[in-house]
Amino acid sequence: MSEPTTTHTASALLSTLHSIAGEVDGARTWSQTSRALSPARVATVFGSARAIRGEPAYEMARELGAALAAHRWTTVTGGGPGIMQAVRDGSGATLSRAVRIEIPGEVPDTVLDEHRSLTVGTFALRKLLLTHDIDALFVFPGGVGTFDELFEVLVHHDTARLDRFPVVLVQPEGTGLWEALVHFVQRHLVEEGLASPAVVEELVVAESVEAALAAVAVRAPATAPVPEAVAATNRPADLGAERRSA
C-alpha cells in the first residue's frame, strides 16, 4: 500500500527544513569570508545553465564578467555551467563567487575554491545567498529556474523585504525575450491591477554590455581585460568601495 500523499509531503517538508537548519552556520561563515575577500561592489548574475560556449548570450556574459572585474566588482553566480560558467570565464577566479546546488547533468567546467564557492542542499538557501547583500542583479535569458529567481527578487523588492538594487535584463540584440516579458507583465498584470507598476518600472533591458554597465553607472573598459591580470591589479572601482547591505 502506498504512503498517503499528506504523509509524504510532511516528510519532505521536514527534510527540507532540517537541511536548511543544518546549513545556516556554514552559510553564514562562508558569506562573511566571501564578503571580506570582495574589494568593492558585488553583482549577482542569473541565466541559463544550457548556454553553450561561443553562443551570443554566453559570450556576452563572459564580456560582462570581464568588464565588471575591470572595475573590481565581484560577480556571484549559481556555480553551474552555461551563463554561470561564462561569467566566471570573464571575471576570473579571484573576483568570482558561486553558490552551488547539485543538479544532475549540470557540471561546470571549473569549480572555485572553498572560500569562493559554497554548495547548499536547497534552492531556498541558494537564492537567499544569491540575492542578499548585493549591489546589482543582471539576468540573462534562461528557463524556469531563471524566471523563478528573477520573480523572487521582484516580490522581495515590491514587499520591501530587500533594499532595492538595479535589476538589468541582459540579452543579445534582437533576441526579444525580455521585451516580451516586460510587455506581458505590464499588459496582463499591471494594467489589470494584479501587480504594482513598480514591478515593471525597476526593470532595465540591455542589449549590450555597455548598456548593462550604464544601468548600474559603470563605464565599460576600453579593451576587454585578461581576468586574472585584472584581479591582480589594485585599481579602485569607479563607484568606490562602499557596498549596500540588504
Side-chain angles (χ1 to χ4, degrees), residues 108-184:
D109 293 340
T110 59
V111 177
L112 301 171
D113 65 57
E114 62 181 9
H115 299 301
R116 293 176 170 81
S117 179
L118 176 70
T119 300
V120 298
T122 65
F123 284 103
L125 184 57
R126 185 194 196 200
K127 287 186 288 186
L128 184 71
L129 290 169
L130 285 170
T131 58
H132 284 68
D133 200 16
I134 65 174
D135 300 286
L137 172 65
F138 298 92
V139 189
F140 281 80
V144 292
T146 299
F147 276 74
D148 171 52
E149 293 163 338
L150 169 60
F151 274 91
E152 180 155 323
V153 168
L154 297 181
V155 169
H156 284 177
H157 280 187
D158 197 41
T159 56
R161 296 305 193 273
L162 276 177
D163 288 344
R164 289 183 181 270
F165 44 74
V167 178
V168 188
L169 308 180
V170 191
Q171 64 185 13
E173 186 175 0
T175 304
L177 172 65
W178 295 132
E179 290 94 341
L181 173 68
V182 172
H183 174 76
F184 175 85

Side-chain angles (χ1 to χ4, degrees), residues 1-18:
M1 183 175 179
S2 62
E3 185 179 24
T5 301
T6 53
T7 302
H8 174 75
T9 300
S11 176
L13 174 61
L14 288 175
S15 176
T16 300
L17 292 175
H18 280 304

